[in-house]
Amino acid sequence: MPPADGGTAVITDAATEVAAAARALVRSHDPHAVSADEFLEAAFDAGLTWVHFPAGLGGRGIARGLQPVVDAIFAEAGAPSLVSLNPIGTGMAAPTLCEHAQSDEQKRRWLHPLATAQDIWCQLFSEPGAGSDLAGLATSAVRDGDEWVVNGQKVWTTLAHCARWALLLARTDPDAPKHKGLTYFVVDMHASGVQTRPLRQMTGQAEFNEVFLSDVRIPDAHRLGAVGAGWRVAMTTLMNERSSIGASGSRRGDGTISDAVALWAQRPDRRSPVRRDRLTQLWLRSEAQRLTAQRAHATATAQGPGPEGSIGKLVGAELNQRVYEFCLDLLGPDGTLYDDYTMRHIGPADSNTGATVQERFLRSRANTIEGGTSEVLRNILGERVLGLPGDPRVDSGPWREVPRG
């Protein structure tokens, strides 16, 4: 019988090995001496992009919980952040492709350029008539031989304007209940019939888009999962999305709370006992969220992201808004100074780069909508984590018969 601490010893050995590999990569590909593309490609080839992925697909087939070991070494060396360069590709597309793509050849074809940020990804889920009720979507996919013909509209699509590929959830059986008539695809954003239009935010930026799909043809080889099993595949994406968005900094004081602390140091003229108490409470909430995110990550290490990941997203979104409300209060009249509403598209590397506190305050208003509204996340946590009774359902019949609008 193996010793009781055998599992711990194996993890410790693997951590030592993966740390040595990460340091060796930093030495052979100094992030300050090579291009971001070259470094990221070397990381993929070394199996350090996602260590829990299979060998040859950017991983080493080891525990998911060892990825922070690699990330910390890369960050300390000043390496490029794939999460920043390709956020949806890294947080949502990669785990979905790894689990559900039809062949290892297809997985590598998509994952390699994703991992080097050569191909940016976006996510075609929400629709004008099905945002919070994602399973009620109306975009259709009709089979035509070895292809599918897609028609519909998606909205709030982050980075669609610079994406090469997209994750698409479409309805393939309108006579099935809404959760069961969906199929999941990868769509070429350069394909004929794909049109992207920017959505201007109140910051002036156009980070989001609406996407129109008119007779877009998708090869059946680009289907992820079985026909009609799109909702199960979508759960892989959504659980990873919420865990990714809800992730907090690994060090105490990281994240948005650092903006509030820095501003407090810069504005002694606006300090008061009441504001000091508000800042202290925000700092404590931030620390609680960081520790909760670490616990959720530890759970995901063993079994993959689950509904618990929604806690970090829910708490983090509302905390961000409170932090920047405090910052604007601390600025006083200066908080109203925002003079650049110029319409401008932004790419993944531009998000929040050099942003003022005022801009971050405006941007934070979207936090409780994107990646699942706070209302939906509370339902998920109530039903799937706490075991509370679900809401009454009046839309369990065929999707075609469910009243819309």
Side-chain angles (χ1 to χ4, degrees), residues 120-170:
I120 303 300
W121 284 68
C122 67
Q123 180 178 315
L124 300 175
F125 274 27
S126 294
E127 298 183 7
S132 297
D133 182 23
L134 176 60
L137 61 85
T139 293
S140 66
V142 178
R143 187 147 196 173
D144 182 19
D146 291 333
E147 294 183 317
W148 295 82
V149 181
V150 178
N151 286 278
Q153 179 188 356
K154 298 293 183 175
V155 75
W156 308 124
T157 308
T158 305
L159 302 177
H161 57 284
C162 53
R164 176 66 175 82
W165 298 99
L167 303 171
L168 170 69
L169 192 60

Side-chain angles (χ1 to χ4, degrees), residues 212-273:
F212 298 87
L213 305 160
S214 303
D215 292 330
V216 178
R217 304 188 78 87
I218 302 176
D220 186 59
H222 288 196
R223 171 174 45 82
L224 303 184
V227 175
W231 188 252
R232 186 174 72 84
V233 182
M235 286 300 99
T236 301
T237 306
L238 293 174
M239 293 301 101
N240 280 281
E241 176 184 33
R242 288 158 190 170
S243 294
S244 177
I245 294 175
S248 185
S250 59
R251 295 179 300 179
R252 182 178 298 181
D254 277 353
T256 56
I257 191 62
S258 63
D259 287 339
V261 172
L263 190 61
W264 178 265
Q266 296 166 15
R267 296 300 300 262
D269 57 307
R270 296 286 297 170
R271 296 176 190 170
S272 71

Side-chain angles (χ1 to χ4, degrees), residues 52-76:
H52 57 292
F53 280 22
L57 299 178
R60 293 172 164 243
I62 59 178
R64 176 192 296 262
L66 296 175
Q67 188 64 48
V69 175
V70 175
D71 294 343
I73 292 170
F74 284 178
E76 185 178 358

Side-chain angles (χ1 to χ4, degrees), residues 103-402:
S103 68
D104 285 346
E105 179 183 355
Q106 189 72 284
K107 292 175 185 179
R108 182 172 175 82
R109 176 191 168 197
W110 281 322
L111 287 172
H112 181 262
L114 184 161
T116 60
Q118 176 185 344
D119 287 351
I120 303 300
W121 284 68
C122 67
Q123 180 178 315
L124 300 175
F125 274 27
S126 294
E127 298 183 7
S132 297
D133 182 23
L134 176 60
L137 61 85
T139 293
S140 66
V142 178
R143 187 147 196 173
D144 182 19
D146 291 333
E147 294 183 317
W148 295 82
V149 181
V150 178
N151 286 278
Q153 179 188 356
K154 298 293 183 175
V155 75
W156 308 124
T157 308
T158 305
L159 302 177
H161 57 284
C162 53
R164 176 66 175 82
W165 298 99
L167 303 171
L168 170 69
L169 192 60
R171 187 163 303 282
T172 50
D173 185 357
D175 294 314
K178 65 179 186 178
H179 288 84
K180 296 182 179 180
L182 303 171
T183 303
Y184 202 116
F185 303 93
V186 171
V187 60
D188 183 350
M189 291 296 288
H190 296 171
S192 175
V194 178
Q195 182 183 14
T196 301
R197 297 180 188 172
L199 290 173
R200 184 179 181 182
Q201 299 157 236
M202 59 184 170
T203 59
Q205 298 174 341
E207 177 187 353
F208 303 125
N209 305 266
E210 52 184 348
V211 178
F212 298 87
L213 305 160
S214 303
D215 292 330
V216 178
R217 304 188 78 87
I218 302 176
D220 186 59
H222 288 196
R223 171 174 45 82
L224 303 184
V227 175
W231 188 252
R232 186 174 72 84
V233 182
M235 286 300 99
T236 301
T237 306
L238 293 174
M239 293 301 101
N240 280 281
E241 176 184 33
R242 288 158 190 170
S243 294
S244 177
I245 294 175
S248 185
S250 59
R251 295 179 300 179
R252 182 178 298 181
D254 277 353
T256 56
I257 191 62
S258 63
D259 287 339
V261 172
L263 190 61
W264 178 265
Q266 296 166 15
R267 296 300 300 262
D269 57 307
R270 296 286 297 170
R271 296 176 190 170
S272 71
V274 172
R275 292 194 180 105
R276 182 188 300 275
D277 182 67
R278 282 180 64 191
L279 178 59
T280 301
Q281 292 299 319
L282 289 170
W283 195 93
L284 290 172
R285 285 178 177 269
S286 178
E287 180 66 3
Q289 192 235 344
R290 181 182 71 85
L291 296 174
T292 300
Q294 287 187 354
R295 182 174 61 186
H297 181 81
T299 300
T301 297
Q303 58 196 33
E308 298 83 0
S310 297
I311 299 173
K313 194 280 173 183
L314 172 65
V315 174
E318 297 183 353
L319 176 63
N320 285 351
Q321 293 178 350
R322 291 178 182 175
V323 165
Y324 289 118
E325 287 168 3
F326 169 80
C327 288
L328 251 64
D329 179 49
L330 191 58
L331 283 172
D334 291 347
T336 64
L337 301 179
Y338 188 79
D339 58 359
D340 186 10
Y341 291 98
T342 306
M343 165 68 175
R344 58 200 187 278
H345 260 318
I346 64 169
D350 302 320
S351 183
N352 271 344
T353 301
T356 63
V357 167
Q358 293 92 329
E359 183 175 312
R360 295 187 182 194
F361 165 78
L362 293 174
R363 178 62 181 81
S364 72
R365 310 321 295 172
N367 292 166
T368 47
I369 301 173
E370 59 193 345
T373 66
S374 291
E375 292 77 12
V376 167
L377 296 183
R378 284 187 166 88
N379 275 355
I380 291 172
L381 294 172
E383 295 174 17
R384 299 181 60 189
V385 177
L386 300 179
L388 300 177
D391 287 340
R393 304 301 297 261
V394 295
D395 56 357
S396 57
W399 175 84
R400 192 191 295 276
E401 299 176 5
V402 174

